[in-house]
Amino acid sequence: MVNQDTPELGVGLVGYAFMGATHSHAWRTAPRFFDLPLRPRLAALAGRDRTAVRAAAERMGWAAVETDWRALIARDDVQLVDICTPGDTHAEIALAALEAGKHVLCEKPLANSVAEAEAMAAAAEKARERGLRAMVGFSYRRVPAVALARQMVAEGRLGTIRHVRAVYLQDWITDPEFPLTWRLRKERAGSGALGDIGAHIVDLTQFVTGQLITGVSGLTETFVRERPLPQAAAGLSATGGEERGEVTVDDAALFFGRLSGGALASFEATRFASGRKNAMRIEINGSLGSLAFDFESMNELLFHDETLPAREAGFRRILATEPTHPYAGAWWPPGHGLGYDHTFVHQAKDLVEAIAEERDAEPTFADGLRVQRVLAAVEASAADRSVWTPVPGA
Amino acid sequence: MVNQDTPELGVGLVGYAFMGATHSHAWRTAPRFFDLPLRPRLAALAGRDRTAVRAAAERMGWAAVETDWRALIARDDVQLVDICTPGDTHAEIALAALEAGKHVLCEKPLANSVAEAEAMAAAAEKARERGLRAMVGFSYRRVPAVALARQMVAEGRLGTIRHVRAVYLQDWITDPEFPLTWRLRKERAGSGALGDIGAHIVDLTQFVTGQLITGVSGLTETFVRERPLPQAAAGLSATGGEERGEVTVDDAALFFGRLSGGALASFEATRFASGRKNAMRIEINGSLGSLAFDFESMNELLFHDETLPAREAGFRRILATEPTHPYAGAWWPPGHGLGYDHTFVHQAKDLVEAIAEERDAEPTFADGLRVQRVLAAVEASAADRSVWTPVPGA
Amino acid sequence: MVNQDTPELGVGLVGYAFMGATHSHAWRTAPRFFDLPLRPRLAALAGRDRTAVRAAAERMGWAAVETDWRALIARDDVQLVDICTPGDTHAEIALAALEAGKHVLCEKPLANSVAEAEAMAAAAEKARERGLRAMVGFSYRRVPAVALARQMVAEGRLGTIRHVRAVYLQDWITDPEFPLTWRLRKERAGSGALGDIGAHIVDLTQFVTGQLITGVSGLTETFVRERPLPQAAAGLSATGGEERGEVTVDDAALFFGRLSGGALASFEATRFASGRKNAMRIEINGSLGSLAFDFESMNELLFHDETLPAREAGFRRILATEPTHPYAGAWWPPGHGLGYDHTFVHQAKDLVEAIAEERDAEPTFADGLRVQRVLAAVEASAADRSVWTPVPGA
Amino acid sequence: MVNQDTPELGVGLVGYAFMGATHSHAWRTAPRFFDLPLRPRLAALAGRDRTAVRAAAERMGWAAVETDWRALIARDDVQLVDICTPGDTHAEIALAALEAGKHVLCEKPLANSVAEAEAMAAAAEKARERGLRAMVGFSYRRVPAVALARQMVAEGRLGTIRHVRAVYLQDWITDPEFPLTWRLRKERAGSGALGDIGAHIVDLTQFVTGQLITGVSGLTETFVRERPLPQAAAGLSATGGEERGEVTVDDAALFFGRLSGGALASFEATRFASGRKNAMRIEINGSLGSLAFDFESMNELLFHDETLPAREAGFRRILATEPTHPYAGAWWPPGHGLGYDHTFVHQAKDLVEAIAEERDAEPTFADGLRVQRVLAAVEASAADRSVWTPVPGA
């Protein structure tokens, strides 16, 4: 665990909204529960509004503040730049950080366009030669139940995979009076449900199966095309005024595709599934078994073992809190569940270890690019009568 | 209930395998629990093998047998012809029965092609003028929880519908050694998972939402392309020999579409979902609420009421066994569930009532044709790079 | 299945309310799905009101009627007397039937007192020497999932049993205006929740574990002590008038006990569990595994296999609809559930087979007596400060 | 949130095993997410082994260490003493801390005997006059779903409460080779499952219902009476040697009781429920509704609203992650669940607020004493043929 002799790893964070809070918690907490080879130090927090960033830094435990992310990158006491800003700024910050010789952790989606993502992946590949790590923040990979699922697939417990069905269902904008926040504007967010939550289920599918999505057919929709402009820069719960603006991203996206191993996969990302709060679900059916996961019950993994006699087979609910489960041994006794924030602690731990051990920190920017290409193919297909669209490089 | 003064309705059944058994049970049982205006009489059973059909008739309670379905139709004591044969014979038998002035109940899918279905719907329309009823056997409409779902949608409890996601998951042919039974041969079954179980979720979607699917994009796959030929004409559990033949239908079909009211809908039908035995599921999200159903828990309907305060909202599990639920009042006290066969009893009841009351027996052949057109559009799309394919007439 | 050469078994039924309807359905249906050695014939139905019993007989399919159960017992065409009346009449009818040389099926609870039950068990034991069968109607033993549970326990899959927790939760009298029907009057029903539904979980526990309850500590309560008198002899849904009467049975009963094999067991029977409609639940924990069942999801059995590595262990949901599951092979394909009434069909089948094969029809009257003794011990304990009370003969 | 101008609250922690780790996490984390009136400072950690306590202090973030808890209490920079040691030391430490003018947080159960608990409650009452707070650590009260349940009961949503059924099921000692750790020795732990986890469900029942348990009938059992002595002082996963010792506490306890408002309540605490890892469950049935909770799904509360029409009523799954739910607003968006450790963060927050606002910190030592008296009554009943035993003071 933390030891004063352990070398420090200075972290600089850009952005301090919802995601900034989760990352701060992770940097503070990871060394308390995991025996890390480097001791994360919350060196500096960057944000444009000095008063606000100072308050955030104090609240979240950062030693210093910067009002320009460039200054943060330039600091000697920062070896790792953690990017928690909206997607339109990811490329610029990440490229500058890598250029400056810093490790990078970048929130998902990697970028708002394939071109940006390609530039980032290329820069990461070059930086890799200089010993730099570049990781994209698909934190759901670090849910113990999800990591267990990947292990079981990798061990062959599912046999030949036939089907994946993945959905990410939310309902926070079903009310047409919900305001036009930045997540509903293409110039900031890149896309809507597709890039925000669809990105997660694309990565999850490729992560758990170990296969790539090779082609897709897609459909997107914006159900509510005008919304009140927000009255103040605010979070998810902002309220709107009387003036209205155009929603320029999708409310929902449906697509299906094929995996490199021959399976069929279906996907849905929506913010209009009334009653579903954060239902990121995946089910995988293989010749020897099946797995199912729902983030709303994040400590559970369902597993069906097809090799058992039919008389006693069925989906079993594995509570992923055993010492033998990924990450779980560092926490509480069996049956004492983890929460959303623990995934970020695990992410911090894995990144610190990768840096110390000089190996790739997965998901790499290349993994992020692979997701981006799938999303772009979905958009291209949706724009052209849902026609089958191959994913380049897959 | 049954009363000796109630006029009889002579039923003639063609086919006596799995479906024939469920229909026979329904004809025997409906008048015991529902107060029917006509008394069904199990007049005659038709099948090609005289010995087998005689044994079946005795076991299932039929008064007479025929070895030619034409003879069955010609019988004076048969007013209703019930067709439980594979799909390739539906059109011919149904057309002949209607021509002969008989009411018809035809198992789903209505036919193996749109052309046949169109001919059947046209014949039914003409026969209607002569007071004849023609119903297609989408029996899942008669699950109390499903009928309740339709009522709630019709009452506006879901508001504007945004999403439908429907799957029908089975796993009975995951074993590559499962033999090439008639359901896996295009010339008998028309299609595979698509027509057999995909048909159900298409009808279910159109029934519960009261909307039509207007266009689709589809993908189909046959995972196991060769299978052992069956050693004997047998049911689902037949075993295969050494000789192998080609599987000429799909093992799985994925498609998405739009509904006439603007919703997005996704569909999957597969026989390769290990561990899912008969998971016909549908979830509907609307602006005011959501509904979810899974046939594996057929006595439950999940309902989320979006109009409640978020503090106390959530999917509630309605046990569809209350006297106020469709059909349920005729059976047992609350909490005493029904089974698969009850849906056929309800179907028989509804058909008898429609005949007596001289009104359409839904789902009509026109409804069956609507399903057939969706399936054909899926196949057309799947054959042409999943390109968006409008559904004619929708 | 039914065959005209199969010898008949003439059945005479006493009582034609809710239970009479389920039994009638069972006698009609069993020979349609099971290959029975005797062909049940619905010979005669007995009830006091000639008009009502005639209507019931026609509706339920009985060939003749009697207005005196003694006359029914005396009929030459009745070999089996099926008793579906309230508990206060069981002993007299059953004793007369056995005396007259008839087989007997008697609804549970076997009797309203231990003394009556002892007389019945003794008469059954004597009649057994004359080749007569006497069975008590604990029909839940014939739920496929329950029968599977018993098999698994008998096979040793649970190891040493440590715990049983069984509840039977209903809510049909939570409304204080629900009328004072016969089930709420001690002189007819014997007891309330305890005898009506508590009897089921006592039998279920002894059946599934294969062990006896050796002693108990109990508590009973009547929450609503006065209710409106019913305006008409009616079923569960009767409405009450203005006059009120005293409730003379328990609304709820709690007890715990020890099993002959050393396990602890807890029990609760109540009609005041708002929202629980027919939640007869049992969970059994053993050194090698656990089982759980809830009748509201009657086609499911949960099984935890403690011998698996903890990493992949968890309660699995076995859908008890496989051909290898008890009774299920006679019905529908996997995943097509059964309902409440199927348990009575299975009961009829098992009884007919026992008669034909000249072996005991379980649960025997002795089994019914064992349940009665447990209930009496609970009442004795509840009446004496919940003091531990041994169950005689266990 | 944390502000350098906020006055500090110096915390001293005694004990650094499993519970010490959760408390440390709570003290570190509470001010990061809640706007506390006092800033907790992790002043000093006490433990007997200097090397071990130093390592723990560094890992957990404590500024100093003491090897004698008396020295910790004596420190000027400690205003609050947090007691995370086994139950046999609670009384001595708590009494000394209160005597020394320190606030106290004491892990449950409050003490190993009623006499100790009475002394502690008396001391707390006296200390209260000096402005000191004494809280017992029934942290499950701070699960958002549990706090919501209490709110709903208090608002009258359940009407008159009829039933409580509460169980706490674990399985960590089903293996007879699990060693004889301190939790299995009466002199350290006071009792077994009863005091360790039974205490939780007693407190939970009294907390959520707002009523007291007035009398009980109980039964306890030790299934495995000898176990290997542990080879090293270790946690839950210790392994045993060849020498064996006697288990002097209960493995399981069953009891039922009455609440002050007239409800019946049943309880079970066991460490032998194979497959149940931490299933602390409670269901409450009232005349207007029901609630159900299971800690294994700690972010969910089930609610049945009996006032809805039966046609649409059923248990709904409230995901207790809405901003309007207790504590949840400080964390993540809806659907992003919390874990076990968050309950301790909430406990720390509530205690700090109570101290600053000079009001009782519930659950008080008096609440802890009330639990202890129930446990003692259970033990007394279990020792005397389960005879009904009133709970003094209730």
Side-chain angles (χ1 to χ4, degrees):
Chain A
M1 309 275 167
V2 259
N3 187 303
Q4 296 310 320
D5 303 332
T6 307
E8 280 189 358
L9 175 75
V11 179
L13 176 69
V14 192
Y16 51 86
F18 163 37
M19 266 304 131
T22 63
H23 283 235
S24 300
H25 178 73
W27 292 120
R28 289 192 311 263
T29 305
R32 303 299 181 186
F33 291 91
F34 294 93
D35 190 8
L36 299 184
L38 297 171
R39 193 152 43 93
R41 181 175 168 266
L42 282 69
L45 177 68
R48 273 166 302 189
D49 178 323
R50 180 170 297 272
T51 310
V53 72
R54 270 201 179 144
E58 189 164 280
R59 188 173 69 241
M60 297 174 175
W62 295 90
V65 299
E66 298 287 352
T67 56
D68 182 346
W69 56 262
R70 290 170 210 277
L72 180 119
I73 288 176
R75 290 177 68 108
D76 283 347
D77 64 350
V78 166
Q79 286 90 47
L80 166 65
V81 175
D82 184 354
I83 306 171
C84 288
T85 53
D88 58 335
T89 59
H90 287 184
E92 191 178 14
I93 302 174
L95 291 173
L98 289 170
E99 180 64 32
K102 312 288 167 132
H103 306 290
V104 174
L105 170 59
C106 181
E107 257 308 313
K108 46 59 56 184
L110 186 58
N112 279 1
S113 72
V114 168
E116 284 176 337
E118 283 173 339
M120 293 168 80
E125 185 58 31
K126 253 181 57 188
R128 189 171 178 265
E129 291 162 23
R130 287 179 288 147
L132 298 179
R133 306 298 143 200
M135 186 193 213
V136 59
F138 286 114
S139 57
Y140 288 126
R141 289 187 176 203
R142 268 78 189 191
V143 175
V146 169
L148 175 61
R150 181 200 168 102
Q151 284 180 359
M152 293 178 77
V153 171
E155 291 165 6
R157 297 297 294 274
L158 261 55
T160 304
I161 295 177
R162 300 301 193 188
H163 287 290
V164 174
R165 61 194 69 84
V167 297
Y168 201 141
L169 310 178
Q170 297 183 335
D171 71 352
W172 53 282
I173 58 171
T174 48
D175 181 352
E177 295 309 305
F178 186 92
L180 191 61
T181 57
W182 72 264
R183 285 181 187 271
L184 305 184
R185 292 165 54 202
K186 188 173 180 57
E187 64 275 22
R188 298 305 307 281
S191 71
L194 181 62
D196 181 20
I197 53 181
H200 275 301
I201 49 177
V202 167
D203 183 67
L204 196 67
T205 298
Q206 299 193 143
F207 170 66
V208 175
T209 64
Q211 301 185 17
L212 296 179
I213 299 169
T214 58
V216 294
S217 172
L219 184 68
T220 61
E221 178 65 85
T222 305
F223 295 116
V224 174
R225 292 172 185 274
E226 283 206 335
R227 289 181 178 275
L229 295 178
Q231 291 182 290
L236 295 179
S237 58
T239 55
E242 283 185 31
E243 210 180 338
R244 302 181 94 81
E246 193 189 350
V247 176
T248 48
V249 299
D250 59 280
D251 286 337
L254 270 67
F255 51 107
F256 52 70
R258 289 181 185 272
L259 299 191
S260 40
L264 303 186
S266 72
F267 303 89
E268 178 175 358
T270 180
R271 293 162 169 170
F272 272 75
S274 300
R276 301 301 181 189
K277 298 303 171 184
N278 203 43
M280 188 187 72
R281 300 177 182 176
I282 189 167
E283 176 163 331
I284 307 173
N285 306 127
S287 55
L288 302 182
S290 291
L291 287 167
F293 174 79
D294 180 350
F295 186 77
E296 287 190 359
S297 302
M298 67 172 276
N299 292 294
E300 301 176 17
L301 180 66
L302 300 186
F303 172 51
H304 164 75
D305 185 345
E306 182 78 13
T307 67
L308 292 174
R311 176 174 176 259
E312 62 178 69
F315 279 82
R316 71 181 78 143
R317 171 184 176 256
I318 302 171
L319 219 46
T321 55
E322 295 293 316
T324 48
H325 289 146
Y327 308 107
W331 299 99
W332 320 117
H336 296 69
L338 303 186
Y340 173 66
D341 41 78
H342 293 79
T343 64
F344 292 89
V345 177
H346 304 160
Q347 178 175 270
K349 168 210 170 259
D350 285 344
L351 176 52
V352 169
E353 289 179 353
I355 288 170
E357 297 165 13
E358 302 189 351
R359 51 176 175 73
D360 281 349
E362 295 189 334
T364 64
F365 278 16
D367 292 321
L369 171 59
R370 281 181 196 107
V371 172
Q372 220 64 28
R373 283 178 171 152
V374 174
L375 301 182
V378 171
E379 288 189 317
S381 172
D384 184 19
R385 300 164 302 140
S386 302
V387 74
W388 186 259
T389 304
V391 177
Chain B
M1 310 277 166
V2 259
N3 186 305
Q4 296 310 321
D5 303 333
T6 306
E8 279 189 357
L9 175 74
V11 179
L13 176 70
V14 191
Y16 51 86
F18 162 38
M19 267 304 130
T22 65
H23 283 236
S24 299
H25 178 73
W27 292 120
R28 291 191 310 262
T29 305
R32 303 299 181 185
F33 290 90
F34 294 93
D35 190 6
L36 300 183
L38 297 170
R39 193 152 43 91
R41 181 174 168 268
L42 284 68
L45 177 68
R48 274 168 299 191
D49 178 324
R50 181 170 296 275
T51 310
V53 73
R54 271 203 177 142
E58 187 164 283
R59 190 172 68 242
M60 296 175 176
W62 295 88
V65 299
E66 298 287 351
T67 54
D68 181 347
W69 55 263
R70 292 170 208 276
L72 181 119
I73 288 176
R75 289 176 68 108
D76 283 344
D77 62 353
V78 166
Q79 286 89 47
L80 166 65
V81 175
D82 185 355
I83 306 172
C84 288
T85 52
D88 59 335
T89 59
H90 288 184
E92 189 179 15
I93 302 174
L95 291 173
L98 289 170
E99 181 64 33
K102 311 291 167 130
H103 306 290
V104 174
L105 170 59
C106 181
E107 257 308 314
K108 46 60 54 182
L110 186 57
N112 279 1
S113 72
V114 170
E116 286 176 337
E118 282 173 341
M120 292 167 82
E125 186 57 32
K126 255 182 56 188
R128 190 171 177 264
E129 292 161 25
R130 286 178 288 146
L132 298 179
R133 306 297 144 200
M135 187 194 214
V136 58
F138 286 113
S139 56
Y140 288 126
R141 289 187 176 204
R142 268 77 190 190
V143 175
V146 169
L148 175 62
R150 181 201 169 101
Q151 284 181 359
M152 294 178 77
V153 171
E155 291 165 7
R157 296 298 294 275
L158 261 55
T160 305
I161 294 177
R162 301 301 195 187
H163 287 291
V164 174
R165 61 193 69 83
V167 297
Y168 202 139
L169 310 179
Q170 296 184 334
D171 72 351
W172 52 283
I173 57 171
T174 48
D175 181 352
E177 295 308 305
F178 186 91
L180 191 61
T181 58
W182 71 264
R183 285 180 187 272
L184 304 184
R185 291 166 53 202
K186 189 173 179 56
E187 66 274 23
R188 299 305 308 279
S191 71
L194 181 63
D196 180 19
I197 54 181
H200 275 301
I201 50 178
V202 167
D203 183 68
L204 196 67
T205 296
Q206 301 193 143
F207 170 67
V208 175
T209 65
Q211 301 184 18
L212 294 180
I213 298 168
T214 59
V216 294
S217 172
L219 183 69
T220 59
E221 179 65 83
T222 305
F223 295 116
V224 175
R225 291 172 185 275
E226 283 206 334
R227 289 182 177 274
L229 295 177
Q231 291 183 289
L236 296 177
S237 57
T239 54
E242 284 184 32
E243 210 181 339
R244 302 181 94 80
E246 193 189 352
V247 176
T248 47
V249 299
D250 60 279
D251 286 337
L254 269 67
F255 50 108
F256 52 70
R258 289 181 184 274
L259 299 191
S260 41
L264 302 186
S266 72
F267 302 89
E268 178 176 357
T270 180
R271 292 163 170 169
F272 272 74
S274 302
R276 301 301 181 190
K277 298 302 170 185
N278 203 43
M280 188 187 72
R281 300 176 181 177
I282 188 166
E283 175 164 331
I284 308 174
N285 306 128
S287 56
L288 302 182
S290 292
L291 287 167
F293 173 79
D294 179 350
F295 186 77
E296 287 190 0
S297 301
M298 67 172 278
N299 292 295
E300 302 175 18
L301 180 66
L302 301 186
F303 171 51
H304 165 74
D305 185 346
E306 182 77 13
T307 68
L308 292 175
R311 176 173 177 259
E312 62 179 70
F315 279 83
R316 72 181 75 142
R317 171 183 177 257
I318 303 171
L319 219 45
T321 54
E322 295 293 316
T324 48
H325 289 146
Y327 308 108
W331 299 100
W332 320 117
H336 296 68
L338 304 186
Y340 172 68
D341 41 77
H342 293 79
T343 64
F344 291 88
V345 177
H346 303 160
Q347 176 175 274
K349 166 209 171 264
D350 286 343
L351 175 53
V352 168
E353 287 178 354
I355 289 170
E357 297 165 14
E358 301 188 354
R359 51 177 176 73
D360 281 350
E362 296 189 336
T364 64
F365 278 16
D367 292 320
L369 170 58
R370 282 180 197 108
V371 172
Q372 219 64 30
R373 283 177 171 154
V374 174
L375 302 182
V378 171
E379 288 190 316
S381 172
D384 184 19
R385 300 163 303 139
S386 302
V387 75
W388 186 262
T389 303
V391 176
Chain C
M1 310 274 167
V2 258
N3 188 303
Q4 296 310 322
D5 302 334
T6 305
E8 279 189 357
L9 175 75
V11 179
L13 177 69
V14 190
Y16 52 87
F18 162 38
M19 266 305 130
T22 64
H23 283 235
S24 298
H25 178 73
W27 292 119
R28 289 191 311 262
T29 305
R32 302 299 180 185
F33 291 91
F34 294 92
D35 190 7
L36 299 183
L38 298 169
R39 194 152 42 92
R41 181 174 169 267
L42 282 69
L45 177 68
R48 272 166 302 190
D49 178 325
R50 180 170 298 274
T51 310
V53 72
R54 272 202 178 143
E58 189 165 279
R59 189 172 69 244
M60 297 174 175
W62 294 90
V65 299
E66 297 288 351
T67 54
D68 182 345
W69 56 262
R70 293 169 207 277
L72 181 117
I73 288 175
R75 289 178 68 107
D76 283 345
D77 63 353
V78 166
Q79 286 89 47
L80 165 66
V81 176
D82 184 354
I83 306 171
C84 288
T85 51
D88 59 334
T89 59
H90 287 184
E92 190 179 13
I93 303 174
L95 292 173
L98 290 170
E99 180 66 32
K102 311 290 168 131
H103 306 290
V104 175
L105 170 59
C106 181
E107 258 307 314
K108 46 58 58 183
L110 185 57
N112 279 2
S113 71
V114 169
E116 284 176 336
E118 283 173 340
M120 292 167 81
E125 186 58 31
K126 254 182 55 188
R128 189 169 177 265
E129 291 162 25
R130 286 177 288 146
L132 298 180
R133 306 297 144 199
M135 187 194 214
V136 60
F138 286 113
S139 57
Y140 289 127
R141 290 187 175 203
R142 269 76 190 192
V143 175
V146 169
L148 174 61
R150 181 200 168 103
Q151 284 181 359
M152 293 178 77
V153 171
E155 291 164 8
R157 297 298 294 274
L158 261 55
T160 305
I161 294 178
R162 301 300 194 187
H163 287 291
V164 174
R165 61 193 68 83
V167 298
Y168 202 139
L169 310 178
Q170 296 184 333
D171 72 353
W172 54 281
I173 59 172
T174 49
D175 182 351
E177 295 308 306
F178 186 91
L180 191 62
T181 58
W182 72 265
R183 286 180 187 272
L184 304 184
R185 291 165 52 203
K186 190 173 178 58
E187 66 273 24
R188 300 304 309 279
S191 71
L194 181 64
D196 182 19
I197 53 181
H200 275 301
I201 49 178
V202 167
D203 183 67
L204 196 66
T205 297
Q206 300 193 144
F207 170 65
V208 175
T209 64
Q211 300 184 18
L212 294 180
I213 299 169
T214 58
V216 294
S217 170
L219 184 69
T220 59
E221 179 64 86
T222 305
F223 296 116
V224 175
R225 291 173 184 276
E226 282 206 336
R227 290 182 176 274
L229 295 178
Q231 291 184 290
L236 296 179
S237 57
T239 54
E242 284 182 33
E243 209 180 340
R244 303 181 93 81
E246 193 189 353
V247 176
T248 47
V249 300
D250 60 280
D251 287 338
L254 270 67
F255 50 107
F256 53 70
R258 290 180 184 273
L259 299 192
S260 41
L264 303 186
S266 72
F267 302 89
E268 177 176 357
T270 179
R271 293 161 170 171
F272 272 75
S274 300
R276 303 300 180 190
K277 299 302 171 184
N278 203 43
M280 188 188 74
R281 300 177 181 176
I282 188 166
E283 175 163 330
I284 308 173
N285 305 127
S287 55
L288 302 182
S290 292
L291 287 167
F293 173 80
D294 180 350
F295 187 77
E296 287 190 1
S297 301
M298 67 171 275
N299 293 292
E300 301 175 19
L301 180 66
L302 300 186
F303 171 51
H304 165 75
D305 185 345
E306 182 76 13
T307 67
L308 292 175
R311 177 174 176 258
E312 61 179 69
F315 278 83
R316 71 181 75 145
R317 171 184 177 257
I318 302 171
L319 219 45
T321 55
E322 295 293 317
T324 47
H325 289 146
Y327 307 108
W331 299 99
W332 319 117
H336 296 69
L338 302 186
Y340 172 67
D341 41 78
H342 293 79
T343 63
F344 292 88
V345 178
H346 304 160
Q347 177 175 273
K349 166 207 171 264
D350 286 343
L351 175 53
V352 169
E353 288 178 354
I355 289 170
E357 296 165 14
E358 301 187 354
R359 51 175 175 73
D360 280 349
E362 296 190 337
T364 63
F365 278 17
D367 293 319
L369 170 59
R370 283 181 196 106
V371 172
Q372 219 64 28
R373 283 177 171 154
V374 174
L375 302 182
V378 171
E379 288 191 315
S381 171
D384 183 19
R385 301 163 303 139
S386 303
V387 75
W388 185 261
T389 304
V391 177
Chain D
M1 307 275 166
V2 259
N3 186 303
Q4 296 310 322
D5 304 332
T6 306
E8 280 189 357
L9 175 74
V11 179
L13 176 69
V14 191
Y16 51 86
F18 162 38
M19 266 303 131
T22 64
H23 283 236
S24 299
H25 178 75
W27 292 120
R28 290 191 313 262
T29 304
R32 303 299 182 186
F33 290 91
F34 294 93
D35 190 7
L36 299 184
L38 298 169
R39 192 152 44 91
R41 181 174 169 268
L42 284 69
L45 177 68
R48 273 167 301 191
D49 178 324
R50 181 169 297 275
T51 309
V53 73
R54 271 201 177 143
E58 188 164 279
R59 188 172 71 241
M60 296 174 175
W62 295 89
V65 301
E66 298 288 352
T67 53
D68 182 345
W69 56 261
R70 292 169 208 277
L72 182 118
I73 288 175
R75 288 177 69 109
D76 282 346
D77 64 351
V78 166
Q79 286 89 46
L80 166 65
V81 176
D82 184 355
I83 306 171
C84 287
T85 51
D88 58 335
T89 60
H90 287 185
E92 189 178 16
I93 302 174
L95 292 173
L98 290 170
E99 180 66 31
K102 312 288 168 136
H103 305 290
V104 174
L105 171 58
C106 181
E107 257 307 315
K108 46 60 53 183
L110 186 57
N112 279 1
S113 72
V114 170
E116 285 176 335
E118 282 173 340
M120 293 168 81
E125 187 57 30
K126 253 180 58 186
R128 190 170 177 264
E129 291 161 25
R130 287 178 288 146
L132 298 179
R133 306 297 145 201
M135 187 193 213
V136 60
F138 286 114
S139 57
Y140 288 126
R141 289 187 176 204
R142 269 76 189 191
V143 175
V146 169
L148 175 61
R150 182 200 168 101
Q151 284 181 359
M152 294 179 77
V153 171
E155 291 164 8
R157 297 297 295 274
L158 261 55
T160 304
I161 294 178
R162 300 302 195 186
H163 287 290
V164 174
R165 60 195 68 84
V167 297
Y168 202 139
L169 310 178
Q170 296 184 335
D171 71 352
W172 54 282
I173 57 170
T174 48
D175 181 352
E177 294 308 305
F178 185 91
L180 191 62
T181 58
W182 71 263
R183 285 180 188 271
L184 304 184
R185 291 165 52 203
K186 189 171 180 57
E187 64 275 23
R188 299 303 310 278
S191 71
L194 181 63
D196 181 20
I197 54 180
H200 275 300
I201 50 177
V202 167
D203 183 67
L204 196 68
T205 296
Q206 300 193 143
F207 171 66
V208 175
T209 64
Q211 301 183 19
L212 295 179
I213 299 168
T214 58
V216 293
S217 171
L219 184 68
T220 59
E221 178 64 85
T222 304
F223 295 116
V224 174
R225 292 173 185 273
E226 283 205 335
R227 288 181 178 275
L229 295 177
Q231 291 182 291
L236 296 178
S237 57
T239 54
E242 282 185 33
E243 210 181 338
R244 303 181 94 81
E246 193 189 352
V247 176
T248 48
V249 299
D250 60 280
D251 287 337
L254 269 67
F255 51 108
F256 53 70
R258 290 180 184 272
L259 299 191
S260 40
L264 302 187
S266 71
F267 302 89
E268 178 176 358
T270 179
R271 294 162 169 170
F272 273 75
S274 301
R276 302 300 181 190
K277 298 302 172 183
N278 203 43
M280 188 188 73
R281 301 177 181 176
I282 188 166
E283 175 163 331
I284 308 174
N285 306 127
S287 56
L288 302 182
S290 292
L291 286 167
F293 173 79
D294 180 350
F295 187 77
E296 287 190 359
S297 302
M298 67 171 276
N299 292 292
E300 302 175 19
L301 180 66
L302 300 186
F303 172 50
H304 165 75
D305 185 346
E306 182 76 12
T307 68
L308 292 175
R311 177 175 175 257
E312 60 179 69
F315 279 83
R316 71 180 77 143
R317 172 186 176 255
I318 302 171
L319 219 47
T321 55
E322 295 294 315
T324 47
H325 289 145
Y327 308 106
W331 299 99
W332 320 117
H336 297 68
L338 302 185
Y340 173 67
D341 41 78
H342 293 79
T343 63
F344 291 88
V345 178
H346 303 159
Q347 177 175 273
K349 169 211 169 258
D350 286 344
L351 175 52
V352 169
E353 287 179 354
I355 288 170
E357 297 166 12
E358 300 187 352
R359 51 175 175 73
D360 281 350
E362 295 190 334
T364 64
F365 278 16
D367 292 320
L369 170 59
R370 281 181 197 107
V371 172
Q372 221 64 27
R373 283 176 172 155
V374 174
L375 302 183
V378 171
E379 287 190 317
S381 172
D384 184 19
R385 299 163 302 137
S386 303
V387 76
W388 185 261
T389 304
V391 176

